[in-house]
Amino acid sequence: EAWMTYAEAASSSQVDALHSPAESTRPFEVRRESARHSSVLLGVARSFANGQSLNLELLSHGHGYTPAEAEAYFARAATDPTQAALALSQRPALLGRRYLHAVWQSNPLDTGTYWRLMASHNLDDASRQWAAYLDRPIDEHLSVTLLGVVNTGGPRREFAALSERALTLGLRLAMP
């Protein structure tokens, strides 16, 4: 059993960045290169004697939109099909600026069933994502995987903007 704290920091610009002006009457702009912004991740992890672990992370993402820019992003995408296509095709990986993320997982070194429960909370728009992942071996080379996701917050919030629920079933083949 052990505790671990960690931190990461980065400063970067993004190529082909989708800029969302805070005024929704102005169109999106795809910029060749965004302004330089910083991102910081702070985390704490607790491992248990049985191999399970619990992680809690706080992310400050400098490339995310302000609340006014995010609101304009959704308003623009909802009213103009051309802007909606641009919003989806050039969508940044994260829309917000502040996130809280928690993960509880089984022992990844066990050869049996592996599971992971995850919860993410966008502190800017109060949307949430709940997810569960399961990987169950059938034999030494083949596993069945299952991922379930529930997004909350409504259609003009980051996590529920595209879907409220998803269920993915898969097979994982380990090549000898």
Side-chain angles (χ1 to χ4, degrees), residues 6-20:
Y6 52 95
E8 297 176 16
S11 176
S12 65
S13 61
Q14 295 180 334
V15 177
D16 295 331
L18 183 67
H19 175 67
S20 177

Side-chain angles (χ1 to χ4, degrees), residues 52-128:
Q52 293 180 7
S53 64
L54 182 62
N55 294 52
L56 186 61
E57 297 178 337
L58 179 63
L59 172 66
S60 172
H61 178 63
H63 287 285
Y65 296 148
T66 65
E69 291 169 337
E71 181 61 34
Y73 170 91
F74 288 113
R76 209 176 282 115
T79 58
D80 182 347
T82 305
Q83 292 293 297
L86 188 60
L88 289 175
S89 66
Q90 297 288 336
R91 185 177 193 265
L94 297 171
L95 292 180
R97 291 192 172 187
R98 299 174 307 130
Y99 296 87
L100 186 62
H101 182 67
V103 177
W104 179 28
Q105 68 179 356
S106 67
N107 186 343
L109 300 178
D110 278 349
T111 57
T113 300
Y114 169 76
W115 55 265
R116 181 172 57 227
L117 302 173
M118 299 161 284
S120 296
H121 178 71
N122 181 324
L123 297 171
D124 296 319
D125 71 9
S127 63
R128 291 183 180 92

